[in-house]
Amino acid sequence: MAIDIQQIGKRFRFYTSIKELEMPQLLEMTGSNETVLSNILCGKNYLLDELVAIVKNFQDLNTQWLIYGEGSMFKPMDEDGTCKDNPKACLKKDRAAYLRQMQNMLIELDAAEVAKGHHADVEALKAKLEAYKASHSQD
């Protein structure tokens, strides 16, 4: 499977948006320079080594999802339920806002996949998102 650096950039932007991380926070967390981070977020002109050096700072980010778009954005939760692997506990946003943003980003990712000729199963993700929303609407 080929690596698409533009798609990696879109997914990394999605992740940082969900986690509410802005450029100053990313710079501080990663120790990287702004040009490299900006290039990764824009999906252009960066080395895989640079991506690896940055991504290792995000313990809850599933690199399989980031690079290939496969699986969940977040790694599975540890047995002890620590925050690093529990996206619900780590997110600052309220659920409704989070779900709306996730749905909008899925639409954007789907459009990008279709434009590239990829056939991701975004409809299944949308259905799961709707089911999750329905099951948690009583909260």
Side-chain angles (χ1 to χ4, degrees), residues 1-136:
M1 177 179 288
I3 295 174
D4 184 337
I5 64 170
Q6 290 178 333
Q7 288 299 90
I8 292 170
K10 285 179 190 265
R11 285 189 283 271
F12 192 58
R13 271 196 325 272
F14 183 37
Y15 171 81
T16 59
S17 176
I18 293 295
K19 298 288 280 194
E20 296 182 328
L21 298 171
E22 300 291 331
M23 185 61 77
Q25 293 166 300
L26 291 171
L27 292 170
E28 184 179 325
M29 291 172 71
T30 64
S32 183
N33 70 53
E34 190 167 355
T35 302
V36 171
L37 270 170
S38 182
N39 284 347
I40 290 171
L41 290 166
C42 293
K44 62 179 182 181
N45 196 26
Y46 65 88
L47 301 173
L48 195 54
D49 290 343
E50 294 169 328
L51 177 68
V52 169
I54 288 170
V55 168
K56 70 180 182 183
N57 295 288
F58 303 97
Q59 299 300 311
D60 64 345
L61 178 59
N62 179 354
T63 54
Q64 188 76 13
W65 172 82
L66 179 67
I67 295 171
Y68 300 108
E70 297 173 355
S72 172
M73 178 189 329
F74 297 101
K75 291 179 181 174
M77 192 167 55
D78 284 343
E79 292 82 31
D80 64 357
T82 57
C83 179
K84 75 177 187 113
D85 291 329
N86 185 352
K88 289 181 196 170
C90 296
L91 293 171
K92 300 177 195 171
K93 297 180 182 220
D94 66 79
R95 277 191 195 161
Y98 167 74
L99 290 171
R100 279 192 302 275
Q101 184 175 11
M102 183 173 251
Q103 194 164 31
N104 290 337
M105 296 291 270
L106 281 172
I107 291 167
E108 182 183 330
L109 284 170
D110 186 38
E113 290 287 322
V114 169
K116 290 277 187 188
H118 300 202
H119 301 290
D121 193 6
V122 174
E123 290 304 317
L125 290 173
K126 287 179 186 175
K128 286 181 183 179
L129 183 59
E130 289 300 320
Y132 180 83
K133 282 169 59 175
S135 70
H136 289 82

